[in-house]
């Protein structure tokens, strides 16, 4: 398994609970044809039995998505150390992977909580014993609120934070919590939005109105402020960076005004939370928000600044490699892409075209097409830099080879592909092989990661 308690203890960092026995029980699940690209020889075996056979990547069928253990473990250490040095906490967004095995590694290496996007995802996390959850979304679903109230009532150690961005949201939550067990109050974060952004109160005045409604609510507790800066820019242009900076300054101002007004009095000594995304612009979040934890708690209110970065664990060879300040070329300890696609050449119908057996059902494409990197196997070789992927069909990749390269990419050869956007890579696979190193001549399969989408 990916769990490594000794390593976690050696970091000296404390982690919120996750039920390691429930996570470990995933090794006893039976493999079958529903697990895409595993060989028929794995069917009927448990995960542990299959791994005990020492499988190699070459033993699997194509197409396949893999996690590079070496790169992922490096990313865990890089981000944990970076956050600790910056004085912020990590609540990585679990929706990126929906993989409790990976959440466990993040918690063991010091993450403060797991962030999720829907109440169903929260329920998955609770089934694995995750003890502190940030729901980075509003919760007005009546079934979900009834479940949450019951969960908070039966487990006083369970810590939960949700978002609100309007007075109507506050009223709807109160309505569905009216029959909750006595004493149950849901901690909420006032979400500040931005022009042309996603959810979030539009402007400081609207956010303060929401906070006032929470302050007077018998069923909610004001826990902090936050939002998502990544919705306001998609690059590091001067205009994009300025939009993010202005937004983060407004988040800081909102927190200071609420602290000065005594609106965190119900926190009973728990720190108020100021939270932002942090996958694309973690440097700006730290620049504009980290100091709130040092302002004598901002008007005397203890404050925790929390990054919800989701992409850092896997990183990529596309969008995040181009925008993250922790990417290669921007720091001495860069994040590395820990995911790759592997697809087999099934047709060479034209001199400058190869068709591979992976498509939209297998690989992400919303933040950029796959990048051809190398031929895999004993004849491993880097592909010509002119090689590109021009399109994906449902089950095919169009690999363009200017000048022709039939000898370089023959039918039957396996091509390693760099990918963009882990959020839309993992959701296509219910079981993902972990290999020792994607750069090895013959990568070994060292684990299988279950996803819950």
């Amino acid at each position: 398994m990916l769990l490594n308690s000794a390593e976690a203890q050696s970091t000296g960092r404390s982690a919120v609970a996750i039920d390691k026995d429930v996570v470990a029980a995933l090794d006893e699940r039976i493999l079958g044809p529903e697990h895409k690209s595993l060989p028929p020889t794995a069917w009927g075996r448990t995960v542990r039995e299959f791994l005990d056979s020492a499988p190699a990547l070459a033993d699997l069928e194509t197409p396949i998505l893999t996690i590079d253990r070496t790169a992922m473990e490096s990313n865990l250490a890089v981000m944990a150390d970076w956050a600790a040095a910056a004085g912020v906490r990590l609540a990585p967004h679990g929706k990126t992977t929906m993989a409790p095995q990976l959440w466990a590694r993040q918690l063991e290496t010091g993450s403060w909580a797991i962030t999720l996007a829907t109440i169903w995802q929260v329920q998955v996390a609770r089934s694995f014993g995750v003890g502190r959850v940030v729901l980075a979304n509003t919760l007005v679903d009546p079934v979900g609120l009834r479940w949450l109230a019951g969960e908070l009532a039966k487990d006083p150690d369970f810590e939960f934070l949700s978002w609100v961005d309007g007075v109507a949201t506050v009223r709807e939550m109160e309505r569905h919590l009216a029959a909750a067990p006595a004493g149950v109050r849901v901690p909420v974060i006032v979400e500040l939005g931005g022009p042309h952004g996603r959810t979030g109160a539009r402007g400081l005045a609207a956010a303060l109105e929401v906070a006032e409604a929470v302050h007077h609510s018998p069923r909610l507790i004001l826990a902090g402020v936050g939002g998502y800066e990544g919705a306001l820019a998609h690059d590091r242009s001067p205009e994009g960076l300025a939009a993010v900076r202005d937004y983060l300054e407004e988040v800081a101002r909102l927190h200071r005004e609420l602290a000065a007004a005594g609106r965190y009095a119900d926190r009973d000594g728990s720190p108020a939370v100021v939270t932002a995304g942090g996958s694309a612009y973690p440097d700006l979040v730290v620049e504009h928000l980290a100091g709130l934890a040092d302002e004598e708690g901002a008007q005397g209110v203890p404050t925790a600044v929390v990054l919800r970065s989701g992409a850092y664990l896997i990183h990529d060879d596309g969008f995040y490699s181009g925008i993250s300040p922790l990417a290669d070329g921007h720091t001495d300890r860069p994040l590395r892409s820990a995911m790759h696609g592997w697809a087999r050449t099934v047709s060479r119908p034209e001199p400058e075209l190869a068709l591979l057996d992976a498509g939209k059902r297998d690989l992400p494409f919303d933040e950029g097409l796959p990048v051809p990197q190398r031929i895999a196997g004993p004849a491993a070789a880097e592909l010509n830099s002119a090689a590109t992927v021009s399109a994906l069909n449902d089950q095919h990749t169009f690999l363009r080879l200017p000048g022709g390269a039939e000898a370089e990419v023959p039918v039957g050869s396996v091509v390693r592909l760099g990918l963009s956007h882990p959020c839309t890579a993992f959701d296509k696979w219910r079981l993902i092989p972990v290999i020792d190193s994607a750069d090895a001549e013959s990568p070994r399969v060292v684990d299988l990661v279950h996803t819950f989408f």
Side-chain angles (χ1 to χ4, degrees), residues 111-161:
S111 289
W112 178 76
I114 294 295
T115 297
L116 294 159
T118 70
I119 193 61
W120 168 76
Q121 292 174 359
V122 174
Q123 290 162 349
V124 172
R126 286 300 288 160
S127 74
F128 284 88
V130 177
R132 184 183 292 125
V133 172
V134 177
L135 176 60
N137 211 339
T138 55
L139 176 57
V140 292
D141 179 87
V143 176
L145 280 167
R146 286 196 294 271
W147 171 85
L148 175 65
E151 197 74 4
L152 291 170
K154 76 180 183 182
D155 185 356
D157 293 327
F158 174 40
E159 297 181 48
F160 175 85
L161 300 170

Side-chain angles (χ1 to χ4, degrees), residues 77-206:
V78 166
M79 195 63 177
D81 292 344
W82 186 88
V88 297
R89 303 182 187 186
L90 287 176
H93 213 317
K95 72 163 175 68
T96 300
T97 64
M98 282 306 293
Q101 291 156 278
L102 303 187
W103 301 344
R105 287 296 295 129
Q106 291 172 301
L107 291 169
E108 285 197 334
T109 51
S111 289
W112 178 76
I114 294 295
T115 297
L116 294 159
T118 70
I119 193 61
W120 168 76
Q121 292 174 359
V122 174
Q123 290 162 349
V124 172
R126 286 300 288 160
S127 74
F128 284 88
V130 177
R132 184 183 292 125
V133 172
V134 177
L135 176 60
N137 211 339
T138 55
L139 176 57
V140 292
D141 179 87
V143 176
L145 280 167
R146 286 196 294 271
W147 171 85
L148 175 65
E151 197 74 4
L152 291 170
K154 76 180 183 182
D155 185 356
D157 293 327
F158 174 40
E159 297 181 48
F160 175 85
L161 300 170
S162 185
W163 286 8
V164 291
D165 70 348
V167 173
T169 302
V170 173
R171 300 293 177 246
E172 188 72 359
M173 292 185 74
E174 289 175 335
R175 184 167 74 89
H176 294 305
L177 289 169
V184 169
R185 299 180 71 187
V186 177
V188 295
I189 288 172
V190 173
E191 180 193 2
L192 182 67
H196 314 296
R198 203 165 60 186
T199 52
R202 295 302 197 253
L204 202 62

Side-chain angles (χ1 to χ4, degrees), residues 345-414:
T345 307
V346 295
S347 178
R348 291 298 313 267
E350 301 169 12
E352 297 188 345
L353 173 65
L355 277 300
L356 313 181
D357 63 356
K360 293 179 180 179
R361 304 290 178 88
D362 313 299
L363 306 176
F365 55 91
D366 60 313
E367 290 285 2
L369 292 171
V371 178
Q373 294 179 332
R374 62 187 300 187
I375 299 295
E382 301 296 318
L383 284 173
N384 189 300
S385 60
T388 60
V389 170
S390 62
L392 294 183
N393 287 166
D394 283 356
Q395 304 290 179
H396 289 95
T397 295
F398 287 71
L399 175 59
R400 302 291 176 177
L401 301 162
E406 188 163 352
E408 184 182 4
V409 188
V411 169
S413 60
V414 174

Side-chain angles (χ1 to χ4, degrees), residues 414-440:
V414 174
V415 178
R416 190 184 85 185
L417 300 166
L419 305 176
S420 179
H421 202 201
C423 293
T424 51
F426 275 51
D427 64 354
K428 296 169 175 58
W429 298 84
R430 66 177 64 187
L431 199 63
I432 304 175
V434 179
I435 56 177
D436 51 1
S437 172
D439 293 328

Side-chain angles (χ1 to χ4, degrees), residues 223-294:
V225 301
Y228 178 50
E229 73 288 348
L232 305 178
H234 208 66
D235 55 34
R236 284 191 166 261
S237 66
E239 297 79 12
L241 295 177
V244 172
R245 286 192 171 100
D246 290 347
Y247 169 74
L248 293 171
E249 279 300 311
E250 283 293 282
V251 171
R253 181 181 170 192
L254 173 61
H255 174 62
R256 292 188 181 105
E257 292 201 17
L258 293 175
R263 291 301 181 246
Y264 295 124
D266 291 338
R267 288 294 283 162
D268 293 329
S270 296
V273 172
V274 178
T275 178
S279 282
Y281 307 102
D283 52 335
L284 300 187
V285 174
V286 166
E287 177 186 338
H288 293 274
L289 299 183
L292 294 171
D294 300 325

